[in-house]
Amino acid sequence: MASRRLSQKGRSVDVSASAGGGRSVNRSYNRSDIRYYRPEAERPQQFTDQFTDAPAHNWNYRLQAGWNEPLFTGGNLQLRYRYQRSHRQNDRSLFRLDSLPEWGAEHALGELPPPEVLQELIDLHNSRYTVTDEAAQTASVGFRWVNKKVRLNLDLDVRTRLNDLHFRRDDIDTALQRRWTHALPSVRFRYRFTRHEQLEVRYNTSASAPALTNLINISDNSDPQNISLGNPDLRASWTNNLTAYYNRYNVERRRGWNANLRYSQTTRSISTAVLYDANTGVRTRRPQNINGNWNTGGGFSFNGSFGPEHRFRLNSSSDFSYNHSVGFIRTSAAQQSQKNTNRALNLNQRLSGTFRNEWLEVELNARIRYNRSRNRLNPDTGNDTYHYGCGTRLQVRLLGA
């Protein structure tokens, strides 16, 4: 990284660059022996023994430049541009050892046949070769204003991602390209009432795109009990975050207050829908977008001393959180997953009091926590729980210690 100041008023420029890369060898073994006892089962037993060899390599680099321009006393305009490039290559080969007639559970896990025999056992349907290239550009403009009372940050990031995927598996050889462009604003405002009292509010956004391999409409049954499907209709998710902080401290009375509130909401979250086959126990999973995830919370704390020479001290902390989450679950009465809503409320309170003099310190403390959860599709799983406790601490300072 290099930076240079161009004027006494604060005009400056900076540039930076970074790069990296690596190679890896991933090998795994999977063995299962499933027995079916239902009369309608197609076969009474399913033995699976697999070996996976997945070498991979990647490289990336990043270039970034920034410009700071003073506008007036305390006010600055900041411009920034970042370019990132990455390349990932993965070659997964899946070998079905259980396809050998003489191969069974008597062979130790991790044992492999000779190389010339192993190559004949490759599962072309679940072996795949992928190459992913990503180019991302971010153009940022920001305004900063700072004085004795106010600090204001206004930022806007415009991010463009271009992803290219080359996917090859058995009789499938395809290329996929996706472009995402997001404008991500953020605000940070702080107001200082005095040296010991201030209020701060922050707002920011973020976006998350699905993996390109999840956008290909194929099935992966490398794990026979858990089949994965792609979904070409997946869209990127979007999250809004809002937080507020307030704190105050009285120096003369040695008392302080802190309060905070927070809220977060996500649009088009990615959840997994599951289709269950009761006869075989096979679960088929498919990612889908879903709306309705949000959460909020807050807290308040106080600490202060009282009495002559401030020998008594009181500490109190209260906080709460509420989580409204949606997803797909399967009930015992249905094979197909259904959209479900779960609501969870948490309340916490902690309190402690302390007396201290030259040779003695005594503390009494107590705490209580309340949890409440409700499930729309499974109302019987809802619960209300209380957790509480109390304690004491005694410390005596001996003479000469």
Side-chain angles (χ1 to χ4, degrees):
M1 179 178 179
S3 61
R4 183 178 180 85
R5 188 169 183 174
L6 303 178
S7 73
Q8 295 295 329
K9 293 184 178 180
R11 181 181 294 119
S12 62
V13 62
D14 64 86
V15 294
S16 64
S18 63
R23 291 180 177 270
S24 63
V25 177
N26 303 294
R27 294 180 176 178
S28 62
Y29 301 86
N30 176 40
R31 174 179 289 183
S32 65
D33 190 0
I34 303 174
R35 301 174 185 269
Y36 300 98
Y37 297 97
R38 303 185 67 167
E40 61 270 24
E42 295 182 1
R43 49 183 175 176
Q45 183 179 7
Q46 180 179 349
F47 176 73
T48 301
D49 196 356
Q50 301 172 339
F51 165 63
T52 302
D53 184 20
H57 80 266
N58 66 87
W59 55 261
N60 65 85
Y61 65 86
R62 177 182 61 86
L63 304 173
Q64 181 173 290
W67 181 275
N68 183 75
E69 180 67 28
L71 301 176
F72 50 85
T73 303
N76 293 272
L77 177 67
Q78 295 184 337
L79 304 176
R80 189 165 296 277
Y81 174 79
R82 181 171 64 247
Y83 179 80
Q84 294 174 284
R85 184 73 187 273
S86 65
H87 173 89
R88 295 184 299 275
Q89 181 175 320
N90 186 283
D91 188 4
R92 186 185 78 176
S93 299
L94 177 67
F95 302 90
R96 291 198 172 273
L97 308 180
D98 49 56
S99 61
L100 278 175
E102 69 278 5
W103 200 270
E106 65 275 6
H107 291 269
L109 182 65
E111 183 180 351
L112 296 175
E116 61 275 9
V117 177
L118 183 64
Q119 291 302 318
E120 298 178 358
L121 306 179
I122 189 169
D123 181 357
L124 295 178
H125 180 74
N126 290 299
S127 299
R128 63 188 189 184
Y129 173 78
T130 60
V131 177
T132 305
D133 287 286
E134 178 180 315
Q137 301 182 71
T138 303
S140 305
V141 56
F143 172 72
R144 306 285 187 273
W145 179 37
V146 181
N147 61 23
K148 293 182 179 180
K149 290 287 187 179
V150 175
R151 176 169 183 170
L152 176 64
N153 296 358
L154 301 176
D155 295 281
L156 177 64
D157 294 348
V158 179
R159 298 178 182 174
T160 300
R161 291 178 54 189
L162 179 62
N163 285 16
D164 288 285
L165 172 68
H166 178 207
F167 183 91
R168 187 170 69 238
R169 190 194 75 174
D170 198 8
D171 57 344
I172 299 176
D173 192 344
T174 184
L176 182 66
Q177 184 179 85
R178 286 291 186 273
R179 179 188 294 272
W180 288 279
T181 300
H182 300 103
L184 306 174
S186 64
V187 179
R188 179 182 177 184
F189 172 77
R190 186 185 69 189
Y191 185 82
R192 178 172 291 181
F193 300 94
T194 66
R195 293 181 56 188
H196 306 288
E197 182 181 8
Q198 67 179 19
L199 171 69
E200 184 170 335
V201 180
R202 298 183 183 182
Y203 168 75
N204 64 75
T205 58
S206 62
S208 177
L212 286 185
T213 51
N214 287 335
L215 299 177
I216 303 177
N217 193 21
I218 59 172
S219 66
D220 183 345
N221 61 350
S222 56
D223 182 350
Q225 293 302 112
N226 294 280
I227 300 175
S228 300
L229 302 178
N231 183 0
D233 297 324
L234 282 180
R235 300 177 62 189
S237 60
W238 181 279
T239 302
N240 298 281
N241 299 297
L242 177 65
T243 56
Y245 307 91
Y246 171 79
N247 63 76
R248 179 185 179 187
Y249 185 73
N250 189 311
V251 179
E252 296 180 356
R253 296 188 175 184
R254 302 183 188 177
R255 298 175 187 176
W257 299 263
N258 291 275
N260 68 85
L261 288 173
R262 62 186 181 276
Y263 173 78
S264 179
Q265 178 264 341
T266 301
T267 303
R268 298 191 300 267
S269 300
I270 297 179
S271 184
T272 302
V274 180
L275 177 64
Y276 179 73
D277 188 336
N279 293 326
T280 62
V282 174
R283 291 175 171 85
T284 303
R285 307 173 186 272
R286 187 171 189 261
Q288 294 185 16
N289 288 116
I290 194 169
N291 290 318
N293 283 311
W294 62 274
N295 64 82
T296 185
F300 176 80
S301 63
F302 168 81
N303 63 85
S305 57
F306 304 88
E309 301 180 357
H310 299 279
R311 295 186 181 277
F312 296 90
R313 187 167 190 84
L314 178 67
N315 292 275
S316 175
S317 176
S318 307
D319 62 82
F320 80 96
S321 65
Y322 178 81
N323 188 38
H324 185 277
S325 60
V326 294
F328 294 100
I329 69 169
R330 187 191 66 83
T331 61
S332 58
Q335 292 184 338
Q336 182 71 44
S337 293
Q338 304 176 64
K339 183 178 178 179
N340 181 55
T341 301
N342 189 74
R343 300 180 299 274
L345 173 67
N346 297 283
L347 303 175
N348 293 278
Q349 173 63 47
R350 294 174 292 275
L351 184 67
S352 67
T354 306
F355 170 79
R356 177 188 300 174
N357 60 19
E358 292 79 6
W359 60 275
L360 177 66
E361 183 173 336
V362 181
E363 177 186 294
L364 301 176
N365 58 74
R367 60 192 179 279
I368 184 171
R369 183 173 74 248
Y370 169 67
N371 299 324
R372 174 187 174 90
S373 66
R374 293 293 183 269
N375 192 294
R376 185 175 66 85
L377 292 182
N378 293 320
D380 295 338
T381 62
N383 61 73
D384 296 84
T385 60
Y386 294 87
H387 303 267
Y388 57 88
C390 59
T392 184
R393 180 175 62 86
L394 176 64
Q395 180 176 338
V396 179
R397 298 180 181 85
L398 301 178
L399 296 178

